[in-house]
Amino acid sequence: MMDAGRHPHITLLTYSEVESVSGYVGNFTIRIRKRARSVDEEKCTGCGACQEKCPTKVLDTAYEAGLGYRKAIYRPFAQAVPAVPVIDRASCLWFTKGRCRLCEKVCPTGAIDYNQQDTILEVQVGNIILATGYDPFDARRVSRLGYGRYPNVFTALEIERMLSGGGPTGGRVVLRDGKTKPESVAIIHCVGSRDENYHPYCSKVCCMYSLKLAHLVRHKTGARVYQCYIDMRTGGKAYEEFYKRLQAEGVVFINGHPAEILQEDGQLAVYVEDRILGQLMRLPVDMVILSVGLEPRHDSREVARIFGISTDADGWFREKHPKLDPVATMTDGVFIAGCCQGPRDIPDSVAQASAAAARVMSLIGQGEVEIQPSVAVVDELMCTGCGQCIPTCPYAAIEYLPDKRVAHVIEALCKGCGTCTGTCPSKAVTLRHFTDRQLVSEMMGALFAMRGEEIGVLP
Amino acid sequence: MKDVLDMTMPQLDWAQKLVPRWWEKLFSCMQCGTCSASCPTAYAMDYTPRQLWQMIRLGLEARVLSSRTFWLCTVCKSCQVRCPRGIPITDTMVALKEYAHQQRAAVPDLFVRLGETVTRHYNISGDDNMARLIWSQNLPQPPVGVKPLRRTAETVYFVGCVSSFYPRAYAIPQALVEVLAEAEVEFTTLGGEEWCCGYPLYVAGLREQMAALARHNVERVREVGARRVIFTCPSCYYAWSHLYPEVADVRGLRLQHATESLAEMLADGHLKLGPVEDVMTYHDPCDLGRKMGVFEAPREVLARIPGLELREMEATRENSLCCGGGGDVEIADSTVTLGVAVRRLTQARATGAQTVASACQQCRRTLQEAARQNRIRMRAVDVVELVWLSVQAWRQLAEDARAVGLHGSHTG
């Protein structure tokens, strides 16, 4: 991250949002709203004095998963790049109550700017790589597992934060009271994944991270750890070996998905069937960890719309071809990498990101793009300018030329699907190499051949 | 001793015969065991539900049909709503019973007899059906609609067999008719013309015998010109709502559970309630909650009764545990019913409440019986009974106030 931040050819725009994209491969215009962070990036040295002195503590539901606090002026996390903080205007005393301004006083470089406004940038780019990631599944939705109702039911991300030395508990794994070490822990797999009621797909990463959590929780607390799983999916280099190591360490593997978790006699009781034995079980434990699955970002469909790409039924970005072209999209010049396309782990995400970068590099290296010859063309004499073709185009390849009052096909975007040719009421659009006459001749030929087969004239 | 299963000639298409409409779904089972661990009676089954699906997939017909697993299904649907593969599990259990009847497989005697009783007597107890209103005999003054019946009425109260013939549940219809009269609802019961709704036959695997009952009941309700049917029995309510449309025309009829009607009346201010001092917990009946989606109405009603403190159990609403009284399990093995009921009572006791309120005569009977047999100090009541108590309390208050008022005017 540091390298990216320092690189002379990389401009990092954090706390910014893409509002619209127009153009086509090699020629995109992107409108970006750079949100007002109330801190001048040029002046700020990232010393952190403002954060230290800010009197307003806010529960950090993002990075600390709701276990820790941040200030009203803050960096998302210690290693964030750039190191410039942002003022959360919804909780800052100056913005809410009109007093304080402490950060302004302590800032040695005068970087605090309460009057900063959002700015709009327009940038020209040739290619776009989307790597917008995922959202963790909200475990509250599975009411039978008690998250949000029972304090000692945690999500995997909460435990992840606890295990971090710089995290809210300083690396200790404790119950919600903040001090008691658990003596027994159950880790529940497939929460929100592989479930028609939530997400039918497998989130792919949870088996491995559950194993990791089991290892670390045992290491930190010495607790008895149960893994309640449906199928252990440890495909990947050295993954099965890690599973074997955990088995050898003495983690208890229970093959079955729990039906419910109830608080009974001051402890959590996990009800599960061990399907190997066909045995119903009640596991009393101090702590439950829910291995929540991955889901598309809440706004993935909106982002897809802005960039002119599509999503699948679940909301993941759709690749051009699942096997043969997994990093490209149906829109030339827009590539995808990582979990925005579907659940995957770090090695896979890194590999895909490298592939996307390589694809972009090759386009830049060539300096030109080849397009298919079979594109639609508008006969400007026949076009009435009714505009019916424009919304039907799935690639947004048709524009309206107001001075000529006709539709115009952007050849770089057209994929030759033929939707517009079928739509045009005045038959002003034709598809090159697939004109009506050519198609009819083709059909005649095919039909003649079939008839020939029937009467046995032709082989 | 473990034998070796010979798979030379596997009957892999048996599931297609058993459940032609959803065998593909059944085949998609991933054997996670969520159904077994959700099942209130799985502990008493010879095969857990999960094992049964694998046996069905492998076509082990004889082994499946000799199992008692599906006869112990309470049809609570806890498994079905949780199944990660969306398999109609509970429906498969019912289909197994139907199949067992058709194949004349080992159907427990009492299940056969249940069908005979209902088709002969039009009720589940085998009593003379003309005695349907026997529960109203010790009402001081049965309201119109009970005695005499109304010839035409906007609303029909469909009492249900259990409340009609099992003395332990008489208090429920007694309370409801009093409350309806108090709220000046023009209703009628159907007297001896009310037949069993057919739900007990459906869950026993005798769905075919339900159609005639359904048509009769709907015709009688149409005859009095009613547009609304009120039920105190969630199973009748479920049958009318989800099973009747397949065999009878219930269009245009507004079907309501008594708690829904009461919630409406209370919101309108039709009823005045006095205090009932008690700490209680509410048990969601499966047929009303999980299967009909009515979770709020009974809670709303309880919340309106002054003095009543409601404490929720750990397993509540869609996660509520069955009382054990569903699915005719009582006639398959009553010890299993009581076993489940004791587990539910333990959960109820953990809230610190002394009383468990339900909105189902069968839950009330089952829980009360389990409490009695196991000497658990817990009382089971129906929400409708509580409302009647509360109405009486208000009447008493009003009377006292009037007495004071009269007394005051004398001295003045």
Side-chain angles (χ1 to χ4, degrees), chain B residues 252-267:
Chain B
L253 287 177
R254 191 157 166 241
L255 309 174
Q256 260 190 338
H257 187 258
T259 53
E260 293 175 288
S261 317
L262 289 172
E264 259 179 36
M265 287 186 233
L266 288 168

Side-chain angles (χ1 to χ4, degrees), chain A residues 354-369:
Chain A
S354 306
R359 289 289 295 273
V360 168
M361 289 303 290
S362 83
L363 278 170
I364 294 173
Q366 281 171 1
E368 54 188 30
V369 289

